[in-house]
Amino acid sequence: TQTNKHNFKSKTYTKPTWCDECDDLLWGIFKQGHKCKNCRFNSHEKCIPSINFPCNPNLVQQLRGNTPQNSLTNPNSHRFLKHSFSRPTFCDFCNKFIWGFTKQGYQCGVCEYAAHKKCFIQATSLCQKSQKAETLHQLGQGIVFCKPLIQITPFGCAEPIFVVKAIEYIRANKNNEGIFRISGSASTIKNLANKIDQEGDGTLNFFAEETGDFVHVVAGLLKMFLRLLPEPLLTFELGAELARVSNSNMRTSGMVAQSIKNIIARLPKINLMVLSNLIKLLYLIANTPETKMSSTGLSITIAPNLFWVREEFESSANVLANVAPISNTVTFLIDNSPSIFP
């Protein structure tokens, strides 16, 4: 079988072998799968039609993490290796969340560029030493991103102007499909973030002039703003409490709901206001048929931007212990928005 320049032949494997496309074991006694004669890519028969990975022996070895030092220099000078991310991480190529428990994706050992398995071979940016740290440093020198909420909230205002403008724009363009799920252009989001951070809230007026798919750019900016806060919107302390409550064995769902309400009420005033308006927006999106987004789908995309564990406590176990409970909490808040945030 030939596909994407691969030359596949059925093969009987004599030791446990995993599919390079879906990462599942090639089960069976004989002729369990197919191997490319050129690059030795292994695959289930059912996976062959979906393979987009190029026929390249070096890249296949890199994909498996079998190269010297577990990395290989790609044409863009990144040195990618399989990586287990210990905190919520977004792909720097497609800007979508990197899901999984261990070895969820790939990370450049030099600049920490993170990517999905399907994305790392498409990375077009040049590797720059400490690229992420430099990006955060640049944004941190501005006046909007990477700052505490209280520091960027003008006197007499209840919340940051950027948050108000972004939510207003998304609300006005709520009829677009996949808001917060479909990624806007990563380069556009980054450029706008730098522009807003350097020129201030006055640059936000141009939002009103943009239409259509631009809503995904604004949604991406809002998620970036939230995940670059020095402390998560739910705060380290209360976010951990919410995770424990959502993961507890309380006797009734009513007890859990009341505990969540009590914890949310203890948030700092600005955090509570931002959370309130954000959840109201998500409730509106979830109840707008054109978006094709449910409260559960929205919580999966938003929750990692609202809470993360402290850096000193980061581990795969700690991160995974909080992902589902916080996502469930956000789903609860969206579904019960009218009564919690009247």
Side-chain angles (χ1 to χ4, degrees):
T1 303
Q2 294 192 22
T3 179
N4 199 27
K5 298 184 180 180
H6 290 283
N7 186 7
F8 284 108
K9 298 292 182 183
S10 60
K11 177 176 174 61
T12 296
Y13 296 89
T14 58
K15 62 180 181 179
T17 304
W18 280 259
C19 174
D20 289 315
E21 174 65 15
C22 71
D23 292 328
D24 285 341
L25 186 66
L26 296 173
W27 292 96
I29 300 175
F30 60 93
K31 292 189 176 180
Q32 306 97 317
H34 292 69
K35 179 187 283 289
C36 175
K37 294 178 64 176
N38 302 325
C39 70
R40 307 184 70 77
F41 189 102
N42 299 309
S43 175
H44 292 102
E45 184 175 1
K46 66 179 182 181
C47 293
I48 290 177
S50 62
I51 294 174
N52 291 316
F53 205 88
C55 186
N56 183 314
N58 289 334
L59 285 179
V60 170
Q61 291 303 308
Q62 183 180 356
L63 177 69
R64 298 173 185 162
N66 293 334
T67 56
Q69 291 81 49
N70 200 33
S71 67
L72 243 176
T73 302
N74 80 345
N76 299 304
S77 298
H78 285 294
R79 293 183 62 83
F80 285 110
L81 51 85
K82 280 187 177 179
H83 188 75
S84 293
F85 297 98
S86 60
R87 64 177 295 172
T89 304
F90 291 77
C91 175
D92 287 315
F93 180 78
C94 71
N95 208 35
K96 293 181 179 179
F97 192 65
I98 299 177
W99 291 99
F101 296 95
T102 61
K103 295 186 177 180
Q104 309 98 311
Y106 289 76
Q107 186 177 63
C108 176
V110 179
C111 70
E112 299 184 0
Y113 186 105
H116 293 103
K117 169 184 172 180
K118 65 181 180 181
C119 295
F120 84 93
I121 59 169
Q122 303 178 63
T124 55
S125 63
L126 293 176
C127 177
Q128 297 178 17
K129 187 176 181 180
S130 302
Q131 184 183 52
K132 282 192 171 181
E134 181 62 23
T135 298
L136 291 178
H137 174 73
Q138 291 175 354
L139 288 175
Q141 301 304 307
I143 54 180
V144 176
F145 289 86
C146 305
K147 297 287 190 294
L149 288 173
I150 193 170
Q151 185 176 329
I152 59 174
T153 302
F155 180 76
C157 295
E159 57 187 314
I161 294 176
F162 167 78
V163 175
V164 174
K165 293 287 188 181
I167 289 178
E168 283 180 354
Y169 180 85
I170 297 172
R171 181 182 291 271
N173 294 272
K174 66 181 185 301
N175 292 328
N176 285 268
E177 179 181 343
I179 298 177
F180 288 113
R181 174 177 58 82
I182 296 176
S183 300
S185 165
S187 59
T188 302
I189 291 173
K190 181 179 178 181
N191 291 337
L192 282 177
N194 281 307
K195 179 180 176 66
I196 292 169
D197 212 34
Q198 297 303 316
E199 300 181 19
D201 300 319
T203 61
L204 300 176
N205 293 327
F206 75 88
F207 277 8
E209 303 172 5
E210 301 286 347
T211 57
D213 291 343
F214 191 74
V215 68
H216 301 304
V217 171
V218 178
L221 275 170
L222 183 56
K223 288 194 293 185
M224 174 187 280
F225 171 83
L226 292 170
R227 69 176 178 262
L228 291 182
L229 288 172
E231 184 173 18
L233 185 65
L234 294 176
T235 74
F236 289 119
E237 178 184 356
L238 299 182
E241 284 191 38
L242 285 169
R244 286 194 294 269
V245 167
S246 296
N247 216 20
S248 66
N249 294 317
M250 290 188 178
R251 287 173 292 180
T252 66
S253 58
M255 293 175 64
V256 174
Q258 189 56 51
S259 296
I260 290 176
K261 290 180 182 179
N262 292 340
I263 294 172
I264 291 296
R266 290 161 48 203
L267 283 170
K269 186 175 180 180
I270 296 177
N271 295 54
L272 182 59
M273 181 61 69
V274 172
L275 180 66
S276 171
N277 287 330
L278 177 62
I279 296 298
K280 288 177 181 178
L281 172 66
L282 298 178
Y283 177 81
L284 177 65
I285 293 172
N287 287 277
T288 301
E290 292 84 353
T291 67
K292 298 181 180 180
M293 293 294 292
S294 65
S295 57
T296 301
L298 286 166
S299 66
I300 289 173
T301 63
I302 290 294
N305 303 286
L306 301 183
F307 178 70
W308 53 88
V309 297
R310 291 182 187 274
E311 187 171 339
E312 58 266 32
F313 299 129
E314 281 187 355
S315 70
S316 296
N318 280 341
V319 171
L320 293 173
N322 288 294
V323 169
I326 291 298
S327 181
N328 292 337
T329 298
V330 175
T331 300
F332 170 82
L333 293 176
I334 296 172
D335 290 339
N336 298 276
S337 175
S339 60
I340 300 175
F341 304 110

